[in-house]
Amino acid sequence: MAFLVVREAGYTVQCLSSVAENVVSKQMLKFISSLNKESIVDVEGEVSVPPGEIAGTSLQVEIQIRKVYSVSKSMPSLPLTLEDASRSELDFEKAEKFFRNFLISEDFVELHTPKLIAGASEGGASVFALDYKGQPACLAQSPQLHKQMGICADFGRVFEIGPVFRAENSFKHRHLCEFTGLDLEMEIKEHYFEVKLLLIVNISFPDEGELQAESQRLGSDVSI
């Protein structure tokens, strides 16, 4: 038995194929299973309504495959998959909201730093350089300099959620050129465990009991 999900104009439908004498052979099932995602195909079959709900497609019908033609077979590894493109903005918004609310509750101050700066913030090997009115400039690799300026200005704890630009090459089919960074900086008063407890314990163990247990395991009485 083999399954296909085909898409046209944004609608998806499930296709099912099973061995049937003089209609579907084992070789045909093997061929269907070998099709890569995003391949262009023509499918011929009978449309039926299954007894139960189909959770993975938009149309609540099923095609019993009789013939499949591969019009254009895609590469095994695509530069962008439908799953990546279909990620909900709500997921990112939830992550940002959690990060922001947690740090604000821990007395962090949110910064909004410039992304067009005069020099590289983390080394010049992976920076997007450009000309700004006759002067050299670049896209910010991180808000590191401005975070440190915030600490020196006696803010104590600062953070930013914003775009980060890296001109980094990769051996894979993707390059990490732009992403949303969750950056924070904080002063250490006595021990680096202050940072460890804040980042690892408070986020990984939000329950008070788990927090105390992990704090004892670390052997630290540092108060956040």
Side-chain angles (χ1 to χ4, degrees), residues 9 16 53 83 87 98 125 134 141 144 146 187:
L16 171 65
E53 180 182 358
E83 289 80 4
R87 290 180 181 175
F98 171 78
Q141 297 163 291
Q144 185 61 39
H146 298 88
E187 63 181 4

Side-chain angles (χ1 to χ4, degrees), residues 71-189:
V71 178
S72 178
K73 194 172 183 179
S74 66
M75 297 183 298
S77 180
L78 298 173
L80 181 67
T81 65
L82 181 63
E83 289 80 4
D84 293 330
S86 300
R87 290 180 181 175
S88 171
E89 288 293 331
L90 185 60
D91 295 335
F92 295 101
E93 292 174 2
K94 287 180 178 179
E96 288 185 12
K97 183 177 180 180
F98 171 78
F99 186 78
R100 176 179 287 110
N101 290 346
F102 170 73
L103 292 180
I104 290 177
S105 70
E106 296 291 339
D107 299 324
F108 278 76
V109 177
E110 184 171 8
L111 302 180
H112 299 283
T113 65
K115 302 308 169 191
L116 184 62
I117 58 179
S121 51
E122 292 189 1
S126 59
V127 65
F128 286 106
L130 53 95
D131 178 83
Y132 180 75
K133 299 183 182 297
Q135 299 292 327
C138 62
L139 297 179
Q141 297 163 291
S142 82
Q144 185 61 39
L145 175 61
H146 298 88
K147 289 188 301 178
Q148 292 175 343
M149 291 173 65
I151 298 299
C152 293
D154 202 29
F155 281 107
R157 297 181 172 191
V158 297
F159 77 96
E160 181 181 47
I161 302 174
V164 176
F165 303 92
R166 302 283 178 90
E168 296 180 355
N169 291 322
S170 173
F171 292 108
K172 300 181 180 180
H173 61 275
R174 283 186 174 181
H175 303 281
L176 192 63
C177 295
E178 179 183 358
F179 60 92
T180 300
L182 308 178
D183 289 275
L184 66 88
E185 192 91 8
M186 62 180 285
E187 63 181 4
I188 299 175
K189 296 185 180 298

